[in-house]
Protein backbone atom coordinates (compact mmCIF):
# COMPACT_ATOMS: atom_id res chain seq x y z
CA UNK A 1 0.00 0.00 0.00
CA UNK A 2 1.47 3.35 -1.01
CA UNK A 3 -0.96 5.62 0.85
CA UNK A 4 1.84 7.46 2.65
CA UNK A 5 2.75 9.11 -0.67
CA UNK A 6 6.21 7.46 -0.54
CA UNK A 7 7.60 3.96 -0.84
CA UNK A 8 7.04 1.85 2.27
CA UNK A 9 10.18 1.32 4.35
CA UNK A 10 12.57 -1.12 2.69
CA UNK A 11 11.01 -1.07 -0.78
CA UNK A 12 13.42 -0.40 -3.65
CA UNK A 13 13.23 0.15 -7.38
CA UNK A 14 15.52 -0.21 -10.39
CA UNK A 15 14.45 1.88 -13.31
CA UNK A 16 16.07 4.45 -15.62
CA UNK A 17 12.90 6.51 -15.17
CA UNK A 18 12.40 6.37 -11.40
CA UNK A 19 9.40 4.46 -10.12
CA UNK A 20 7.17 7.01 -8.48
CA UNK A 21 4.38 6.96 -5.96
CA UNK A 22 1.70 8.85 -7.84
CA UNK A 23 -1.72 10.32 -7.12
CA UNK A 24 -2.56 10.28 -10.86
CA UNK A 25 -5.32 7.68 -11.42
CA UNK A 26 -4.23 5.34 -8.58
CA UNK A 27 -5.61 1.83 -8.25
CA UNK A 28 -7.02 2.40 -4.78
CA UNK A 29 -7.00 5.23 -2.28
CA UNK A 30 -4.92 8.29 -3.08
CA UNK A 31 -1.61 6.76 -4.31
CA UNK A 32 -0.17 3.85 -6.31
CA UNK A 33 3.36 2.98 -7.40
CA UNK A 34 3.73 3.89 -11.08
CA UNK A 35 6.44 2.65 -13.44
CA UNK A 36 7.05 4.14 -16.89
CA UNK A 37 7.99 1.38 -19.33
CA UNK A 38 9.25 2.17 -22.84
CA UNK A 39 12.23 1.73 -25.16
CA UNK A 40 14.43 3.81 -22.82
CA UNK A 41 13.31 1.85 -19.75
CA UNK A 42 12.58 -1.70 -20.93
CA UNK A 43 13.15 -3.67 -17.71
CA UNK A 44 12.04 -1.68 -14.68
CA UNK A 45 11.75 -3.51 -11.36
CA UNK A 46 10.19 -2.80 -7.99
CA UNK A 47 11.07 -4.88 -4.91
CA UNK A 48 9.39 -5.34 -1.54
CA UNK A 49 11.07 -4.93 1.80
CA UNK A 50 13.01 -7.94 3.12
CA UNK A 51 11.15 -10.19 5.58
CA UNK A 52 13.21 -12.46 7.83
CA UNK A 53 10.31 -13.88 9.84
CA UNK A 54 9.33 -16.75 7.55
CA UNK A 55 8.40 -19.91 9.44
CA UNK A 56 9.45 -22.05 6.48
CA UNK A 57 7.66 -24.84 4.67
CA UNK A 58 4.44 -22.84 4.37
CA UNK A 59 2.95 -21.44 1.18
CA UNK A 60 3.08 -17.68 0.73
CA UNK A 61 0.08 -16.12 -0.98
CA UNK A 62 0.94 -12.91 -2.80
CA UNK A 63 -1.65 -10.49 -4.11
CA UNK A 64 -1.62 -6.99 -5.55
CA UNK A 65 -3.68 -4.80 -7.82
CA UNK A 66 -2.35 -3.53 -11.12
CA UNK A 67 -3.26 -1.83 -14.36
CA UNK A 68 -1.30 -0.98 -17.49
CA UNK A 69 -2.27 2.14 -19.44
CA UNK A 70 -0.81 4.06 -22.37
CA UNK A 71 1.44 6.92 -21.26
CA UNK A 72 0.07 9.52 -23.68
CA UNK A 73 -3.69 9.18 -23.39
CA UNK A 74 -4.43 6.86 -20.46
CA UNK A 75 -6.22 4.29 -22.60
CA UNK A 76 -5.91 0.55 -22.04
CA UNK A 77 -2.63 -0.95 -23.17
CA UNK A 78 -2.91 -3.71 -25.79
CA UNK A 79 -1.59 -7.22 -25.19
CA UNK A 80 1.52 -6.37 -27.25
CA UNK A 81 2.95 -4.22 -24.41
CA UNK A 82 5.35 -6.89 -23.11
CA UNK A 83 5.39 -9.12 -20.04
CA UNK A 84 5.41 -8.89 -16.26
CA UNK A 85 7.31 -11.44 -14.19
CA UNK A 86 6.50 -12.01 -10.53
CA UNK A 87 9.54 -13.23 -8.65
CA UNK A 88 10.76 -13.99 -5.15
CA UNK A 89 14.08 -14.63 -3.46
CA UNK A 90 15.02 -16.23 -0.16
CA UNK A 91 18.47 -14.59 -0.10
CA UNK A 92 17.52 -10.93 -0.49
CA UNK A 93 20.49 -9.75 1.59
CA UNK A 94 22.98 -11.30 -0.85
CA UNK A 95 24.98 -9.06 -3.19
CA UNK A 96 23.31 -10.82 -6.15
CA UNK A 97 20.13 -12.51 -4.94
CA UNK A 98 18.80 -15.44 -6.93
CA UNK A 99 15.29 -14.62 -8.17
CA UNK A 100 12.73 -17.30 -8.99
CA UNK A 101 9.80 -16.56 -11.30
CA UNK A 102 6.64 -18.05 -9.79
CA UNK A 103 4.07 -16.38 -12.04
CA UNK A 104 3.84 -14.22 -15.15
CA UNK A 105 1.40 -11.85 -16.76
CA UNK A 106 1.17 -11.96 -20.55
CA UNK A 107 3.80 -14.66 -21.19
CA UNK A 108 2.13 -17.55 -22.99
CA UNK A 109 5.28 -19.68 -22.67
CA UNK A 110 5.14 -19.53 -18.85
CA UNK A 111 3.10 -22.39 -17.32
CA UNK A 112 1.88 -20.01 -14.57
CA UNK A 113 0.75 -17.30 -16.97
CA UNK A 114 -2.19 -14.98 -16.48
CA UNK A 115 -3.25 -13.31 -19.74
CA UNK A 116 -3.26 -9.51 -19.84
CA UNK A 117 -6.78 -8.17 -20.35
CA UNK A 118 -6.59 -4.57 -21.65
CA UNK A 119 -8.43 -2.26 -19.25
CA UNK A 120 -8.12 1.13 -17.60
CA UNK A 121 -9.35 -0.40 -14.34
CA UNK A 122 -7.19 -2.14 -11.81
CA UNK A 123 -7.38 -5.88 -11.43
CA UNK A 124 -6.28 -8.15 -8.59
CA UNK A 125 -3.56 -10.70 -9.25
CA UNK A 126 -3.12 -13.49 -6.72
CA UNK A 127 -0.68 -16.40 -6.84
CA UNK A 128 0.89 -18.77 -4.35
CA UNK A 129 4.57 -19.47 -3.80
CA UNK A 130 5.05 -23.08 -2.73
CA UNK A 131 6.21 -23.47 0.86
CA UNK A 132 8.61 -26.22 -0.19
CA UNK A 133 10.78 -23.41 -1.58
CA UNK A 134 10.74 -21.21 1.56
CA UNK A 135 13.18 -22.09 4.35
CA UNK A 136 12.71 -20.88 7.92
CA UNK A 137 14.07 -17.39 8.60
CA UNK A 138 14.77 -16.81 4.92
CA UNK A 139 15.59 -13.31 3.70
CA UNK A 140 12.41 -13.26 1.64
CA UNK A 141 11.61 -10.49 -0.84
CA UNK A 142 9.23 -10.17 -3.76
CA UNK A 143 9.59 -8.20 -6.98
CA UNK A 144 7.87 -7.50 -10.23
CA UNK A 145 10.10 -7.32 -13.30
CA UNK A 146 8.86 -5.70 -16.49
CA UNK A 147 9.86 -6.77 -19.97
CA UNK A 148 8.96 -4.15 -22.58
CA UNK A 149 8.00 -5.07 -26.16
CA UNK A 150 6.31 -2.04 -27.74
CA UNK A 151 4.77 1.33 -26.92
CA UNK A 152 5.11 3.60 -23.91
CA UNK A 153 2.97 2.84 -20.91
CA UNK A 154 2.54 3.09 -17.16
CA UNK A 155 2.28 0.05 -14.92
CA UNK A 156 0.45 0.80 -11.67
CA UNK A 157 0.99 -1.44 -8.63
CA UNK A 158 -0.98 -1.16 -5.39
CA UNK A 159 -2.35 -3.06 -2.38
CA UNK A 160 0.58 -5.50 -2.20
CA UNK A 161 0.11 -8.27 0.35
CA UNK A 162 2.24 -11.36 1.04
CA UNK A 163 0.88 -13.76 3.67
CA UNK A 164 2.60 -16.92 4.83
CA UNK A 165 -0.07 -19.59 5.33
CA UNK A 166 0.90 -20.77 8.83
CA UNK A 167 -1.05 -23.32 10.84
CA UNK A 168 -3.20 -22.05 13.68
CA UNK A 169 -1.67 -22.19 17.12
CA UNK A 170 -3.62 -24.16 19.72
CA UNK A 171 -5.06 -21.92 22.45
CA UNK A 172 -3.67 -22.40 25.94
Amino acid sequence: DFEGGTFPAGWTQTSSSPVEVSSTTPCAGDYSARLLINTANPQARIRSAIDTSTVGGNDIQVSFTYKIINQTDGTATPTTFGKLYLEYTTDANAANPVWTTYSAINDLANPNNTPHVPSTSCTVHTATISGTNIPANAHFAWRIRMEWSAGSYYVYIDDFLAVEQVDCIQPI
Side-chain angles (χ1 to χ4, degrees):
D1 190 2
F2 301 95
E3 286 310 301
T6 60
F7 283 103
W11 281 68
T12 62
Q13 58 91 26
T14 305
S15 177
S16 58
S17 298
V19 177
E20 61 185 347
V21 175
S22 175
S23 61
T24 304
T25 64
C27 280
D30 295 325
Y31 297 94
S32 289
R34 183 171 86 164
L35 301 84
L36 175 61
I37 308 300
N38 57 25
T39 187
N41 191 32
Q43 290 200 344
R45 294 178 295 280
I46 184 172
R47 191 201 81 189
S48 72
I50 298 170
D51 183 347
T52 58
S53 64
T54 57
V55 173
N58 298 303
D59 291 349
I60 296 178
Q61 186 176 52
V62 178
S63 66
F64 62 95
T65 56
Y66 79 98
K67 68 179 173 181
I68 307 167
I69 60 173
N70 287 305
Q71 178 193 12
T72 54
D73 60 10
T75 58
T77 299
T79 58
T80 56
F81 77 91
K83 302 170 180 88
L84 305 180
Y85 293 98
L86 312 176
E87 302 174 327
Y88 72 92
T89 184
T90 58
D91 64 350
N93 281 348
N96 294 301
V98 175
W99 292 95
T100 301
T101 301
Y102 70 92
S103 186
I105 297 173
N106 212 44
D107 181 359
L108 298 177
N110 188 299
N112 296 315
N113 178 59
T114 300
H116 170 62
V117 177
S119 175
T120 58
S121 298
C122 294
T123 188
V124 176
H125 184 278
T126 301
T128 301
I129 299 168
S130 173
T132 60
N133 300 321
I134 310 297
N137 302 311
H139 290 124
F140 178 85
W142 173 89
R143 78 174 180 183
I144 186 166
R145 177 175 53 90
M146 319 304 169
E147 187 175 288
W148 172 84
S149 290
S152 185
Y153 54 90
Y154 286 116
V155 176
Y156 287 78
I157 305 292
D158 208 347
D159 298 325
F160 172 81
L161 185 63
V163 178
E164 186 173 15
Q165 306 298 307
V166 297
D167 292 330
C168 291
I169 299 172
Q170 290 288 340
I172 297 176

